[in-house]
């Protein structure tokens, strides 16, 4: 009987990790579409987290996401048109415009959080809760540091 690690080419690991990620994201987006959010894209989750509860400026959003101010502005405009974000005057500085989530944007985050919990419970049923917990612990050991890297959109685009 051969050792599985020896038989599996190294390039498959990132593909398997990405396929698992894609499975989770696709399932969450199916739930989002069913809950009235059919137009959100996977990148929007990063954008909403980067905007945060207090809002941010377009420049700050670009920096957090690792994209240009222009790319951030284009994303904001699209999300504003869809009703997920709004621009408002910063109460602390009338010269600044901040971008903040609308009730629709907050609802999208709430639906996605419930969806991720549901998917995690399904995975626990599939592989067992102990194995899922071990997988999560192993991934934490293999990918230490920030759990949520907001600069992923820029990284995917080669901007960072």
């Amino acid at each position: 009987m051969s050792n599985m690690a020896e038989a599996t080419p190294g390039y498959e690991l990132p593909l398997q990790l990405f396929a698992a990620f894609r499975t989770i994201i696709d399932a969450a987006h199916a739930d989002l579409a069913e809950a009235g959010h059919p137009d959100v894209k996977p990148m929007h989750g990063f954008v909403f987290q980067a905007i945060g509860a207090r809002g941010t400026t377009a420049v700050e959003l670009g920096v957090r996401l690792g994209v240009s101010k222009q790319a951030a502005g284009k994303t904001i405009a699209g999300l504003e048109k869809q009703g997920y974000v709004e621009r408002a005057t910063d109460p602390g500085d009338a010269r600044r415009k901040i971008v903040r989530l609308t009730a629709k944007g907050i609802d999208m985050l709430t639906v996605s959080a419930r969806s991720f919990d549901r998917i995690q419970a399904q995975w626990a049923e599939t592989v067992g809760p102990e194995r899922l917990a071990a997988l999560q612990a192993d991934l934490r050991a293999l990918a230490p540091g920030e759990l949520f890297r907001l600069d992923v959109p820029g990284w995917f685009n080669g901007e960072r």
Side-chain angles (χ1 to χ4, degrees), residues 128-145:
E130 299 84 13
R131 288 195 59 187
L132 182 60
L135 172 63
Q136 290 172 311
D138 290 344
L139 289 172
R140 275 188 221 85
L142 294 169

Side-chain angles (χ1 to χ4, degrees), residues 41-48 50-51 58 61-62 65 67-87 99 153 157 159:
K41 306 283 185 261
M43 185 191 74
H44 294 152
F46 292 99
V47 174
F48 289 4
I51 290 171
L61 182 63
L65 294 174
V67 300
S68 68
K69 177 185 172 185
Q70 292 78 14
K74 185 176 178 183
T75 300
I76 291 165
L79 290 172
E80 188 175 32
K81 187 174 180 182
Q82 293 175 310
Y84 288 103
V85 301
E86 62 187 3
R87 297 177 207 231
V99 179
N157 289 330
E159 294 185 32

Side-chain angles (χ1 to χ4, degrees), residues 108-137:
M108 193 285 296
L109 285 177
T110 302
V111 170
S112 65
R114 281 195 309 259
S115 181
F116 289 132
D117 287 345
R118 179 189 63 76
I119 295 162
Q120 182 170 295
Q122 284 179 333
W123 282 31
E125 283 182 28
T126 301
V127 301
E130 299 84 13
R131 288 195 59 187
L132 182 60
L135 172 63
Q136 290 172 311

